[in-house]
Short mmCIF file of all heavy atoms in Angstrom, two decimals:
data_model
loop_
_atom_site.label_atom_id
_atom_site.label_comp_id
_atom_site.label_asym_id
_atom_site.label_seq_id
_atom_site.Cartn_x
_atom_site.Cartn_y
_atom_site.Cartn_z
N VAL A 217 36.81 -111.80 69.56
CA VAL A 217 37.17 -112.94 70.38
C VAL A 217 38.40 -113.63 69.81
O VAL A 217 39.33 -113.96 70.56
CB VAL A 217 36.00 -113.94 70.49
CG1 VAL A 217 36.42 -115.17 71.23
CG2 VAL A 217 34.84 -113.28 71.18
N ALA A 218 38.47 -113.81 68.51
CA ALA A 218 39.63 -114.46 67.86
C ALA A 218 40.90 -113.64 68.10
O ALA A 218 41.97 -114.19 68.38
CB ALA A 218 39.39 -114.65 66.39
N MET A 219 40.79 -112.31 68.02
CA MET A 219 41.95 -111.46 68.23
C MET A 219 42.43 -111.58 69.68
O MET A 219 43.63 -111.59 69.93
CB MET A 219 41.64 -110.00 67.91
CG MET A 219 41.43 -109.75 66.45
SD MET A 219 42.88 -110.21 65.43
CE MET A 219 43.99 -108.92 65.91
N ALA A 220 41.52 -111.67 70.61
CA ALA A 220 41.88 -111.81 72.02
C ALA A 220 42.63 -113.13 72.23
O ALA A 220 43.61 -113.18 72.97
CB ALA A 220 40.66 -111.73 72.89
N MET A 221 42.16 -114.17 71.61
CA MET A 221 42.83 -115.48 71.71
C MET A 221 44.24 -115.42 71.14
O MET A 221 45.16 -115.96 71.74
CB MET A 221 42.01 -116.58 71.04
CG MET A 221 40.69 -116.86 71.78
SD MET A 221 39.67 -118.07 70.94
CE MET A 221 40.70 -119.53 71.08
N VAL A 222 44.43 -114.74 70.01
CA VAL A 222 45.73 -114.57 69.43
C VAL A 222 46.66 -113.80 70.36
O VAL A 222 47.81 -114.17 70.58
CB VAL A 222 45.67 -113.93 68.04
CG1 VAL A 222 47.04 -113.56 67.55
CG2 VAL A 222 44.96 -114.84 67.06
N ALA A 223 46.14 -112.75 70.93
CA ALA A 223 46.93 -111.92 71.86
C ALA A 223 47.38 -112.70 73.07
O ALA A 223 48.51 -112.61 73.50
CB ALA A 223 46.14 -110.69 72.26
N PHE A 224 46.44 -113.48 73.64
CA PHE A 224 46.80 -114.28 74.82
C PHE A 224 47.75 -115.40 74.50
O PHE A 224 48.62 -115.75 75.26
CB PHE A 224 45.54 -114.84 75.51
CG PHE A 224 44.78 -113.79 76.24
CD1 PHE A 224 43.44 -113.53 75.95
CD2 PHE A 224 45.36 -113.03 77.24
CE1 PHE A 224 42.73 -112.58 76.63
CE2 PHE A 224 44.67 -112.05 77.93
CZ PHE A 224 43.34 -111.84 77.63
N SER A 225 47.65 -115.97 73.30
CA SER A 225 48.56 -117.05 72.95
C SER A 225 49.94 -116.53 72.62
O SER A 225 50.95 -117.23 72.74
CB SER A 225 48.01 -117.87 71.77
OG SER A 225 47.97 -117.07 70.59
N ALA A 226 50.06 -115.30 72.19
CA ALA A 226 51.37 -114.69 71.87
C ALA A 226 52.09 -114.21 73.12
O ALA A 226 53.29 -114.17 73.16
CB ALA A 226 51.20 -113.55 70.90
N ALA A 227 51.35 -113.90 74.16
CA ALA A 227 51.98 -113.38 75.38
C ALA A 227 53.02 -114.27 75.98
O ALA A 227 54.09 -113.81 76.36
CB ALA A 227 50.89 -112.99 76.41
N PRO A 228 52.78 -115.60 76.09
CA PRO A 228 53.84 -116.47 76.65
C PRO A 228 55.12 -116.47 75.81
O PRO A 228 56.20 -116.49 76.38
CB PRO A 228 53.19 -117.86 76.67
CG PRO A 228 51.74 -117.58 76.69
CD PRO A 228 51.55 -116.35 75.90
N VAL A 229 54.99 -116.38 74.53
CA VAL A 229 56.19 -116.35 73.67
C VAL A 229 56.98 -115.06 73.97
O VAL A 229 58.20 -115.12 74.13
CB VAL A 229 55.80 -116.42 72.17
CG1 VAL A 229 57.01 -116.21 71.28
CG2 VAL A 229 55.16 -117.77 71.86
N LEU A 230 56.29 -113.97 74.03
CA LEU A 230 56.96 -112.70 74.29
C LEU A 230 57.53 -112.69 75.71
O LEU A 230 58.57 -112.07 75.96
CB LEU A 230 55.99 -111.52 74.10
CG LEU A 230 55.53 -111.29 72.66
CD1 LEU A 230 54.47 -110.18 72.62
CD2 LEU A 230 56.69 -110.95 71.77
N ALA A 231 56.88 -113.35 76.65
CA ALA A 231 57.35 -113.37 78.03
C ALA A 231 58.75 -113.97 78.12
O ALA A 231 59.60 -113.53 78.87
CB ALA A 231 56.37 -114.17 78.90
N PHE A 232 59.00 -114.98 77.31
CA PHE A 232 60.31 -115.64 77.33
C PHE A 232 61.34 -114.86 76.50
O PHE A 232 62.52 -115.01 76.69
CB PHE A 232 60.21 -117.10 76.84
CG PHE A 232 59.45 -117.96 77.79
CD1 PHE A 232 58.24 -118.49 77.46
CD2 PHE A 232 59.99 -118.26 79.05
CE1 PHE A 232 57.54 -119.30 78.36
CE2 PHE A 232 59.30 -119.04 79.94
CZ PHE A 232 58.07 -119.58 79.59
N GLU A 233 60.85 -114.06 75.55
CA GLU A 233 61.76 -113.33 74.71
C GLU A 233 62.35 -112.11 75.41
O GLU A 233 63.51 -111.77 75.20
CB GLU A 233 61.07 -112.91 73.41
CG GLU A 233 62.01 -112.25 72.44
CD GLU A 233 61.50 -112.30 71.01
OE1 GLU A 233 60.31 -112.09 70.78
OE2 GLU A 233 62.34 -112.52 70.13
N CYS A 234 61.59 -111.46 76.26
CA CYS A 234 62.05 -110.23 76.90
C CYS A 234 63.42 -110.42 77.60
O CYS A 234 64.33 -109.64 77.35
CB CYS A 234 61.03 -109.76 77.93
SG CYS A 234 59.41 -109.37 77.24
N PRO A 235 63.58 -111.41 78.48
CA PRO A 235 64.87 -111.57 79.15
C PRO A 235 66.02 -111.86 78.18
O PRO A 235 67.13 -111.40 78.39
CB PRO A 235 64.64 -112.75 80.10
CG PRO A 235 63.18 -112.83 80.26
CD PRO A 235 62.59 -112.35 78.98
N LEU A 236 65.73 -112.55 77.11
CA LEU A 236 66.76 -112.87 76.11
C LEU A 236 67.22 -111.59 75.41
O LEU A 236 68.42 -111.41 75.18
CB LEU A 236 66.25 -113.87 75.09
CG LEU A 236 65.89 -115.23 75.64
CD1 LEU A 236 65.28 -116.12 74.54
CD2 LEU A 236 67.06 -115.90 76.27
N LEU A 237 66.30 -110.70 75.15
CA LEU A 237 66.65 -109.41 74.51
C LEU A 237 67.50 -108.58 75.49
O LEU A 237 68.48 -107.94 75.08
CB LEU A 237 65.39 -108.65 74.06
CG LEU A 237 64.54 -109.37 73.06
CD1 LEU A 237 63.25 -108.52 72.76
CD2 LEU A 237 65.31 -109.64 71.79
N GLY A 238 67.09 -108.60 76.74
CA GLY A 238 67.85 -107.83 77.73
C GLY A 238 69.29 -108.37 77.86
O GLY A 238 70.22 -107.59 77.97
N LYS A 239 69.45 -109.65 77.84
CA LYS A 239 70.78 -110.26 77.93
C LYS A 239 71.62 -109.87 76.73
O LYS A 239 72.85 -109.64 76.84
CB LYS A 239 70.69 -111.79 78.05
CG LYS A 239 70.21 -112.23 79.42
CD LYS A 239 70.06 -113.73 79.48
CE LYS A 239 69.49 -114.15 80.81
NZ LYS A 239 69.30 -115.59 80.89
N GLN A 240 71.01 -109.84 75.53
CA GLN A 240 71.75 -109.42 74.35
C GLN A 240 72.23 -108.00 74.45
O GLN A 240 73.38 -107.69 74.11
CB GLN A 240 70.88 -109.56 73.10
CG GLN A 240 70.55 -110.96 72.69
CD GLN A 240 69.65 -111.00 71.48
OE1 GLN A 240 69.93 -110.37 70.46
NE2 GLN A 240 68.50 -111.67 71.61
N ILE A 241 71.39 -107.15 74.98
CA ILE A 241 71.80 -105.75 75.15
C ILE A 241 72.90 -105.63 76.17
O ILE A 241 73.90 -104.95 75.97
CB ILE A 241 70.58 -104.86 75.50
CG1 ILE A 241 69.65 -104.76 74.29
CG2 ILE A 241 71.01 -103.48 75.99
CD1 ILE A 241 68.31 -104.13 74.55
N ASP A 242 72.72 -106.33 77.32
CA ASP A 242 73.78 -106.28 78.36
C ASP A 242 75.09 -106.74 77.78
O ASP A 242 76.15 -106.14 78.08
CB ASP A 242 73.37 -107.14 79.55
CG ASP A 242 72.23 -106.55 80.35
OD1 ASP A 242 71.98 -105.33 80.21
OD2 ASP A 242 71.63 -107.29 81.11
N ALA A 243 75.10 -107.84 77.02
CA ALA A 243 76.32 -108.38 76.49
C ALA A 243 76.96 -107.42 75.48
O ALA A 243 78.21 -107.27 75.44
CB ALA A 243 76.07 -109.73 75.81
N ALA A 244 76.13 -106.73 74.72
CA ALA A 244 76.64 -105.82 73.70
C ALA A 244 77.26 -104.56 74.27
O ALA A 244 78.27 -104.09 73.79
CB ALA A 244 75.53 -105.43 72.71
N ILE A 245 76.67 -104.05 75.33
CA ILE A 245 77.22 -102.79 75.92
C ILE A 245 78.21 -103.08 76.99
O ILE A 245 79.07 -102.22 77.31
CB ILE A 245 76.13 -101.83 76.40
CG1 ILE A 245 75.24 -102.45 77.47
CG2 ILE A 245 75.30 -101.33 75.25
CD1 ILE A 245 74.29 -101.49 78.12
N GLY A 246 78.17 -104.27 77.56
CA GLY A 246 79.14 -104.68 78.56
C GLY A 246 79.40 -103.62 79.63
O GLY A 246 78.46 -103.12 80.23
N SER A 247 80.62 -103.26 79.81
CA SER A 247 80.98 -102.28 80.84
C SER A 247 81.25 -100.90 80.25
O SER A 247 81.95 -100.05 80.85
CB SER A 247 82.19 -102.76 81.63
OG SER A 247 83.28 -102.97 80.79
N ARG A 248 80.74 -100.67 79.04
CA ARG A 248 80.94 -99.34 78.43
C ARG A 248 80.37 -98.27 79.31
O ARG A 248 79.38 -98.44 79.98
CB ARG A 248 80.19 -99.29 77.07
CG ARG A 248 80.89 -100.01 75.95
CD ARG A 248 80.14 -100.00 74.65
NE ARG A 248 79.26 -98.89 74.41
CZ ARG A 248 78.28 -98.89 73.50
NH1 ARG A 248 78.12 -99.96 72.74
NH2 ARG A 248 77.52 -97.85 73.33
N MET A 249 81.05 -97.13 79.31
CA MET A 249 80.62 -96.03 80.17
C MET A 249 80.26 -94.78 79.35
O MET A 249 80.11 -93.70 79.92
CB MET A 249 81.77 -95.65 81.14
CG MET A 249 82.16 -96.83 82.06
SD MET A 249 80.82 -97.36 83.08
CE MET A 249 81.16 -96.48 84.55
N ASP A 250 80.08 -94.89 78.07
CA ASP A 250 79.74 -93.73 77.22
C ASP A 250 78.26 -93.36 77.37
O ASP A 250 77.51 -94.10 77.97
CB ASP A 250 80.10 -94.00 75.76
CG ASP A 250 79.44 -95.27 75.21
OD1 ASP A 250 79.99 -96.35 75.39
OD2 ASP A 250 78.34 -95.11 74.66
N ASP A 251 77.95 -92.20 76.84
CA ASP A 251 76.55 -91.72 76.95
C ASP A 251 75.54 -92.65 76.32
O ASP A 251 74.45 -92.86 76.84
CB ASP A 251 76.43 -90.34 76.28
CG ASP A 251 77.15 -89.25 77.10
OD1 ASP A 251 77.44 -89.47 78.28
OD2 ASP A 251 77.43 -88.18 76.51
N SER A 252 75.88 -93.25 75.20
CA SER A 252 75.02 -94.18 74.50
C SER A 252 74.74 -95.38 75.38
O SER A 252 73.58 -95.82 75.50
CB SER A 252 75.65 -94.63 73.17
OG SER A 252 74.87 -95.64 72.57
N ALA A 253 75.75 -95.94 76.03
CA ALA A 253 75.56 -97.09 76.90
C ALA A 253 74.71 -96.71 78.11
O ALA A 253 73.82 -97.50 78.51
CB ALA A 253 76.92 -97.63 77.33
N ALA A 254 74.93 -95.55 78.65
CA ALA A 254 74.14 -95.11 79.80
C ALA A 254 72.65 -94.97 79.44
O ALA A 254 71.77 -95.44 80.17
CB ALA A 254 74.67 -93.78 80.34
N SER A 255 72.40 -94.35 78.32
CA SER A 255 71.01 -94.23 77.83
C SER A 255 70.40 -95.59 77.57
O SER A 255 69.23 -95.84 77.93
CB SER A 255 70.96 -93.40 76.55
OG SER A 255 71.37 -92.08 76.80
N THR A 256 71.19 -96.47 76.97
CA THR A 256 70.67 -97.81 76.68
C THR A 256 70.29 -98.54 77.95
O THR A 256 69.25 -99.19 78.02
CB THR A 256 71.75 -98.61 75.88
OG1 THR A 256 72.00 -97.92 74.68
CG2 THR A 256 71.27 -100.02 75.61
N LYS A 257 71.14 -98.43 78.99
CA LYS A 257 70.83 -99.10 80.26
C LYS A 257 69.54 -98.59 80.89
O LYS A 257 68.74 -99.36 81.41
CB LYS A 257 72.00 -98.92 81.23
CG LYS A 257 73.25 -99.71 80.83
CD LYS A 257 74.40 -99.45 81.74
CE LYS A 257 75.64 -100.20 81.29
NZ LYS A 257 76.81 -99.94 82.16
N VAL A 258 69.31 -97.27 80.77
CA VAL A 258 68.07 -96.70 81.34
C VAL A 258 66.87 -97.23 80.59
O VAL A 258 65.89 -97.66 81.18
CB VAL A 258 68.15 -95.17 81.30
CG1 VAL A 258 66.76 -94.56 81.61
CG2 VAL A 258 69.20 -94.63 82.26
N ILE A 259 66.94 -97.22 79.27
CA ILE A 259 65.83 -97.69 78.43
C ILE A 259 65.58 -99.17 78.67
O ILE A 259 64.43 -99.61 78.81
CB ILE A 259 66.08 -97.38 76.95
CG1 ILE A 259 66.16 -95.86 76.74
CG2 ILE A 259 64.96 -97.99 76.08
CD1 ILE A 259 66.72 -95.44 75.39
N ALA A 260 66.66 -99.97 78.72
CA ALA A 260 66.51 -101.41 78.96
C ALA A 260 65.91 -101.67 80.35
O ALA A 260 65.13 -102.63 80.51
CB ALA A 260 67.86 -102.09 78.82
N GLY A 261 66.19 -100.81 81.30
CA GLY A 261 65.60 -100.95 82.62
C GLY A 261 64.10 -100.74 82.58
O GLY A 261 63.35 -101.44 83.26
N GLU A 262 63.68 -99.79 81.76
CA GLU A 262 62.23 -99.58 81.57
C GLU A 262 61.58 -100.81 80.92
O GLU A 262 60.49 -101.21 81.30
CB GLU A 262 61.95 -98.35 80.72
CG GLU A 262 62.31 -97.05 81.42
CD GLU A 262 61.53 -96.86 82.75
OE1 GLU A 262 60.32 -97.10 82.77
OE2 GLU A 262 62.17 -96.46 83.73
N ALA A 263 62.26 -101.43 79.96
CA ALA A 263 61.76 -102.60 79.32
C ALA A 263 61.64 -103.74 80.33
O ALA A 263 60.64 -104.51 80.30
CB ALA A 263 62.68 -103.01 78.17
N ALA A 264 62.61 -103.89 81.20
CA ALA A 264 62.54 -104.92 82.23
C ALA A 264 61.37 -104.72 83.15
O ALA A 264 60.69 -105.68 83.56
CB ALA A 264 63.88 -104.95 83.00
N LYS A 265 61.09 -103.47 83.50
CA LYS A 265 59.93 -103.18 84.37
C LYS A 265 58.62 -103.55 83.64
O LYS A 265 57.71 -104.10 84.28
CB LYS A 265 59.91 -101.68 84.71
CG LYS A 265 60.96 -101.27 85.72
CD LYS A 265 60.88 -99.81 85.98
CE LYS A 265 62.05 -99.32 86.82
NZ LYS A 265 62.04 -97.85 86.99
N LEU A 266 58.55 -103.25 82.35
CA LEU A 266 57.35 -103.65 81.61
C LEU A 266 57.20 -105.17 81.57
O LEU A 266 56.08 -105.69 81.72
CB LEU A 266 57.45 -103.09 80.16
CG LEU A 266 57.29 -101.58 80.04
CD1 LEU A 266 57.70 -101.09 78.64
CD2 LEU A 266 55.84 -101.17 80.34
N HIS A 267 58.31 -105.85 81.36
CA HIS A 267 58.26 -107.33 81.39
C HIS A 267 57.72 -107.83 82.73
O HIS A 267 56.86 -108.70 82.74
CB HIS A 267 59.66 -107.89 81.11
CG HIS A 267 59.75 -109.37 81.41
ND1 HIS A 267 59.18 -110.31 80.61
CD2 HIS A 267 60.37 -110.02 82.40
CE1 HIS A 267 59.45 -111.50 81.09
NE2 HIS A 267 60.18 -111.35 82.19
N SER A 268 58.25 -107.29 83.81
CA SER A 268 57.81 -107.70 85.15
C SER A 268 56.34 -107.41 85.38
O SER A 268 55.67 -108.17 86.12
CB SER A 268 58.64 -106.97 86.21
OG SER A 268 60.01 -107.39 86.14
N ALA A 269 55.82 -106.39 84.75
CA ALA A 269 54.42 -106.03 84.87
C ALA A 269 53.53 -106.85 83.94
O ALA A 269 52.35 -106.67 83.89
CB ALA A 269 54.23 -104.55 84.58
N GLY A 270 54.15 -107.74 83.14
CA GLY A 270 53.34 -108.56 82.23
C GLY A 270 53.00 -107.90 80.91
O GLY A 270 52.23 -108.42 80.16
N ARG A 271 53.63 -106.77 80.65
CA ARG A 271 53.36 -106.03 79.41
C ARG A 271 54.46 -106.33 78.39
O ARG A 271 55.29 -105.54 78.06
CB ARG A 271 53.30 -104.54 79.75
CG ARG A 271 52.14 -104.22 80.68
CD ARG A 271 52.21 -102.87 81.34
NE ARG A 271 52.21 -101.79 80.38
CZ ARG A 271 52.37 -100.51 80.70
NH1 ARG A 271 52.59 -100.19 81.96
NH2 ARG A 271 52.37 -99.59 79.77
N HIS A 272 54.41 -107.60 77.92
CA HIS A 272 55.52 -108.16 77.16
C HIS A 272 55.68 -107.55 75.76
O HIS A 272 56.82 -107.32 75.33
CB HIS A 272 55.37 -109.68 77.06
CG HIS A 272 55.34 -110.29 78.44
ND1 HIS A 272 56.39 -110.28 79.29
CD2 HIS A 272 54.31 -110.88 79.11
CE1 HIS A 272 56.07 -110.87 80.42
NE2 HIS A 272 54.80 -111.24 80.35
N ALA A 273 54.61 -107.30 75.07
CA ALA A 273 54.73 -106.69 73.72
C ALA A 273 55.37 -105.30 73.85
O ALA A 273 56.24 -104.94 73.04
CB ALA A 273 53.37 -106.59 73.04
N GLU A 274 54.97 -104.56 74.87
CA GLU A 274 55.57 -103.23 75.05
C GLU A 274 57.04 -103.37 75.46
O GLU A 274 57.90 -102.60 75.04
CB GLU A 274 54.82 -102.48 76.17
CG GLU A 274 53.43 -102.07 75.75
CD GLU A 274 52.67 -101.48 76.93
OE1 GLU A 274 52.98 -100.35 77.31
OE2 GLU A 274 51.77 -102.14 77.44
N SER A 275 57.36 -104.37 76.30
CA SER A 275 58.72 -104.62 76.71
C SER A 275 59.63 -104.89 75.52
O SER A 275 60.72 -104.33 75.42
CB SER A 275 58.75 -105.76 77.72
OG SER A 275 60.08 -106.07 78.07
N VAL A 276 59.15 -105.74 74.60
CA VAL A 276 59.93 -106.09 73.41
C VAL A 276 60.20 -104.82 72.59
O VAL A 276 61.32 -104.57 72.11
CB VAL A 276 59.23 -107.17 72.58
CG1 VAL A 276 59.89 -107.32 71.23
CG2 VAL A 276 59.24 -108.50 73.34
N ALA A 277 59.17 -103.97 72.47
CA ALA A 277 59.34 -102.73 71.67
C ALA A 277 60.34 -101.79 72.35
O ALA A 277 61.16 -101.16 71.67
CB ALA A 277 57.99 -102.02 71.52
N VAL A 278 60.33 -101.71 73.67
CA VAL A 278 61.26 -100.83 74.36
C VAL A 278 62.69 -101.40 74.29
O VAL A 278 63.65 -100.66 74.15
CB VAL A 278 60.79 -100.57 75.81
CG1 VAL A 278 61.79 -99.78 76.59
CG2 VAL A 278 59.44 -99.83 75.79
N TYR A 279 62.82 -102.70 74.39
CA TYR A 279 64.14 -103.30 74.19
C TYR A 279 64.67 -103.00 72.78
O TYR A 279 65.85 -102.74 72.63
CB TYR A 279 64.10 -104.84 74.41
CG TYR A 279 64.27 -105.25 75.85
CD1 TYR A 279 63.34 -106.08 76.45
CD2 TYR A 279 65.37 -104.86 76.60
CE1 TYR A 279 63.51 -106.51 77.78
CE2 TYR A 279 65.52 -105.23 77.92
CZ TYR A 279 64.60 -106.07 78.51
OH TYR A 279 64.76 -106.45 79.80
N ALA A 280 63.78 -103.02 71.81
CA ALA A 280 64.23 -102.67 70.43
C ALA A 280 64.71 -101.22 70.36
O ALA A 280 65.70 -100.91 69.72
CB ALA A 280 63.05 -102.90 69.45
N ALA A 281 64.02 -100.37 71.09
CA ALA A 281 64.45 -98.94 71.10
C ALA A 281 65.82 -98.82 71.82
O ALA A 281 66.69 -98.06 71.36
CB ALA A 281 63.42 -98.08 71.84
N ALA A 282 66.03 -99.55 72.88
CA ALA A 282 67.30 -99.55 73.60
C ALA A 282 68.44 -100.06 72.69
O ALA A 282 69.51 -99.48 72.66
CB ALA A 282 67.23 -100.40 74.87
N ALA A 283 68.15 -101.08 71.94
CA ALA A 283 69.15 -101.65 71.05
C ALA A 283 69.52 -100.64 69.95
O ALA A 283 70.68 -100.51 69.56
CB ALA A 283 68.63 -102.93 70.42
N LYS A 284 68.52 -99.91 69.48
CA LYS A 284 68.80 -98.90 68.45
C LYS A 284 69.72 -97.82 68.98
O LYS A 284 70.64 -97.40 68.27
CB LYS A 284 67.47 -98.31 67.98
CG LYS A 284 67.60 -97.37 66.81
CD LYS A 284 66.27 -96.91 66.28
CE LYS A 284 66.44 -96.02 65.09
NZ LYS A 284 65.17 -95.59 64.50
N VAL A 285 69.49 -97.40 70.21
CA VAL A 285 70.35 -96.36 70.79
C VAL A 285 71.80 -96.88 70.89
O VAL A 285 72.75 -96.13 70.63
CB VAL A 285 69.85 -95.98 72.18
CG1 VAL A 285 70.85 -95.12 72.96
CG2 VAL A 285 68.51 -95.23 72.08
N ALA A 286 71.95 -98.15 71.21
CA ALA A 286 73.28 -98.74 71.37
C ALA A 286 73.90 -99.21 70.05
O ALA A 286 75.07 -99.54 70.03
CB ALA A 286 73.18 -99.93 72.31
N GLY A 287 73.09 -99.17 68.98
CA GLY A 287 73.62 -99.67 67.70
C GLY A 287 73.76 -101.18 67.68
O GLY A 287 74.63 -101.72 67.01
N VAL A 288 72.86 -101.88 68.37
CA VAL A 288 72.90 -103.30 68.48
C VAL A 288 71.73 -103.90 67.67
O VAL A 288 70.62 -103.39 67.72
CB VAL A 288 72.72 -103.73 69.97
CG1 VAL A 288 72.60 -105.23 70.11
CG2 VAL A 288 73.87 -103.20 70.81
N GLU A 289 72.05 -104.96 66.95
CA GLU A 289 71.00 -105.67 66.21
C GLU A 289 70.56 -106.89 67.02
O GLU A 289 71.37 -107.78 67.25
CB GLU A 289 71.49 -106.10 64.84
CG GLU A 289 70.38 -106.69 63.99
CD GLU A 289 70.81 -107.01 62.57
OE1 GLU A 289 71.69 -106.31 62.06
OE2 GLU A 289 70.24 -107.95 62.00
N LEU A 290 69.32 -106.87 67.52
CA LEU A 290 68.84 -107.95 68.33
C LEU A 290 68.46 -109.16 67.47
O LEU A 290 68.02 -109.02 66.35
CB LEU A 290 67.61 -107.52 69.13
CG LEU A 290 67.84 -106.45 70.17
CD1 LEU A 290 66.51 -106.00 70.78
CD2 LEU A 290 68.79 -106.92 71.26
N GLN A 291 68.65 -110.33 68.04
CA GLN A 291 68.19 -111.58 67.43
C GLN A 291 66.93 -112.03 68.15
O GLN A 291 66.95 -112.28 69.34
CB GLN A 291 69.30 -112.67 67.60
CG GLN A 291 70.60 -112.28 66.94
CD GLN A 291 70.49 -112.05 65.43
OE1 GLN A 291 69.92 -112.89 64.75
NE2 GLN A 291 71.03 -110.96 64.97
N TYR A 292 65.85 -112.08 67.38
CA TYR A 292 64.55 -112.45 67.96
C TYR A 292 64.32 -113.94 67.78
O TYR A 292 64.82 -114.54 66.84
CB TYR A 292 63.42 -111.66 67.27
CG TYR A 292 63.49 -110.17 67.56
CD1 TYR A 292 64.20 -109.32 66.72
CD2 TYR A 292 62.89 -109.67 68.69
CE1 TYR A 292 64.26 -107.97 66.99
CE2 TYR A 292 62.93 -108.29 68.96
CZ TYR A 292 63.65 -107.47 68.10
OH TYR A 292 63.73 -106.13 68.37
N LYS A 293 63.49 -114.50 68.69
CA LYS A 293 63.13 -115.92 68.57
C LYS A 293 62.27 -116.08 67.33
O LYS A 293 61.47 -115.22 67.02
CB LYS A 293 62.33 -116.32 69.82
CG LYS A 293 63.15 -116.35 71.10
CD LYS A 293 62.31 -116.65 72.28
CE LYS A 293 62.05 -118.12 72.37
NZ LYS A 293 61.32 -118.49 73.62
N LYS A 294 62.42 -117.21 66.71
CA LYS A 294 61.56 -117.51 65.55
C LYS A 294 60.21 -117.95 66.06
O LYS A 294 60.11 -118.70 67.03
CB LYS A 294 62.19 -118.61 64.69
CG LYS A 294 63.47 -118.13 64.06
CD LYS A 294 64.08 -119.20 63.19
CE LYS A 294 65.37 -118.60 62.65
NZ LYS A 294 66.09 -119.56 61.83
N LYS A 295 59.18 -117.43 65.43
CA LYS A 295 57.80 -117.72 65.89
C LYS A 295 57.18 -118.80 65.07
O LYS A 295 57.48 -119.08 64.01
CB LYS A 295 56.95 -116.46 65.83
CG LYS A 295 57.49 -115.40 66.74
CD LYS A 295 56.75 -114.11 66.61
CE LYS A 295 57.42 -113.10 67.50
NZ LYS A 295 56.84 -111.83 67.44
#
């Protein structure tokens, strides 16, 4: 029960973090047209879909994977 409460209390924080991570990635790759940028955009799109589905922890993890492909270091919200 305690773990479930922690998970539910963390979800709103992650919900607000997802779009911020997406914006960081968009800003970093900008209008680049290289293979790395294309792959990053596809992966970030998957993260956005997860966010929309309410799967915020998974979305954050996928945004991190997208950032790694692009060579971007994301800045996370302090918890």
Side-chain angles (χ1 to χ4, degrees):
V217 174
M219 290 302 288
M221 291 177 66
V222 170
F224 286 122
S225 66
V229 172
L230 293 175
F232 291 113
E233 185 158 42
C234 301
L236 298 175
L237 298 177
K239 287 178 185 178
Q240 290 178 54
I241 291 170
D242 288 343
I245 60 172
S247 59
R248 284 178 26 199
M249 301 299 263
D250 57 272
D251 290 341
S252 174
S255 295
T256 299
K257 289 177 184 180
V258 169
I259 297 167
E262 291 300 318
K265 288 178 187 175
L266 289 167
H267 167 72
S268 294
R271 296 166 60 187
H272 303 293
E274 291 173 73
S275 176
V276 169
V278 174
Y279 274 126
K284 186 174 182 177
V285 169
V288 174
E289 186 174 332
L290 295 174
Q291 300 298 313
Y292 294 92
K293 292 174 81 174
K294 295 182 180 177
K295 298 175 184 179

